[in-house]
Amino acid sequence: MSETAYLNGEFLPIEQAKISVLDRGFIFGDGVYEVIPVYSRRPFRLAEHLARLQASLDAIRLVNPHPAPKWTELVGKIVAGNPWEDQAVYLQITRGAAKRDHVFPKGVKPTVFMMASELVPPSAELVKSGAKAIVLPDRRWLRCDIKSVSLLGNCMLRTLAADQDCAEAILVREGMLTEASASNVFIVKDGTVLTPPKSHLILPGITYDVVLEILRENSIAHEVRPVTEAELRSAEEVWVTSSSREVLAITTLDGKRVGSGQPGPVGERVHALYHQYKAKVMRAPIHA
Ligand code: PDD
């Protein structure tokens, strides 16, 4: 089966999908996106992803081109048109093509684009060993709650991490933990899980919410509160969470061991509970 993309009402092979060079997504990075994980061809937490998409659109004053049932249908068609059982569905909406002018133009048709790729979770070896990360100053803009396609800051940070053979860059702003270049961050201190609260400084991760639900439902000690850089650096455990990384232990931070240097007991438990949860919801009946 070949790979199918979607552009402005049409399903087509990705090589045939073309946009105008005047598209404001291309010229200004004027657009927002979502990445929706799909397991056994069933979207995970689709309603939550669509709600976050709506929040991003509202924040940049872009009218949602489709109601939720239409998005559900489009996501279903992209999933059906691609060969993998587990997929990451990417969708992007830009403000469309217009004469270059910083002011948001009125009456322009947005560009709607979707594609899928194979969703490959972290390997068993990586889950067992944990990943390496570095700590960097968070030099991004101050609206990190918007899932904007303007990801140059995130790309620069992730590349600095890759330069040092690290999986992630964990970010601090004015002495406080924010998130990582493409994931949220949890730490364990004195046996309690800590993560920063949602604010304009972090993306409200869908996986972050799932992890907090798991912590609550299993009475695992946790607090959502500001976390200092010192707490991050002296944590017993550090994990990153995202749709693609799931719950991944960071066992080396700036070349130093985190805790014992192995994934810790709290993270291992949450990782197992996350997989149980995923298996459970994927077996449940589908609600659109
Ligand atoms: N990234 N923070 C940032 C900056 C992110 O880019 C992401 C996700 C997350 C985690 O969000 P979620 O749990 O909803 O995946 C946090 C996606 C996967 C990406 O850009 O590819």
Side-chain angles (χ1 to χ4, degrees), residues 125-153:
E125 298 81 68
L126 187 61
V127 169
K128 192 154 177 278
S129 65
K132 294 197 284 183
I134 53 173
V135 180
L136 290 175
D138 191 345
R139 295 213 175 96
R140 301 171 301 160
W141 71 332
L142 294 170
R143 289 305 307 273
C144 297
D145 53 323
I146 302 172
K147 206 158 171 56
S148 159
V149 295
S150 310
L151 286 175
L152 186 55

Side-chain angles (χ1 to χ4, degrees), residues 155-201:
C155 293
M156 288 169 75
L157 293 160
R158 174 59 79 78
T159 303
L160 288 171
D163 288 347
Q164 297 192 40
D165 199 25
C166 285
E168 255 299 16
I170 295 183
L171 309 176
V172 291
R173 201 190 279 271
E174 292 173 357
M176 307 304 291
L177 168 66
T178 54
E179 58 177 343
S181 75
S183 47
N184 293 107
V185 180
F186 290 72
I187 72 161
V188 178
K189 178 186 180 183
D190 301 329
T192 297
V193 182
L194 304 177
T195 195
K198 289 180 185 173
S199 75
H200 60 290
L201 298 179

Side-chain angles (χ1 to χ4, degrees), residues 34 44-53 206 209 213 277:
E34 274 297 324
F44 182 70
R45 295 231 155 182
L46 180 57
E48 289 81 355
H49 280 277
L50 293 178
R52 184 172 66 185
L53 175 67
I206 306 299
D209 281 340
E213 281 173 32
Y277 173 80

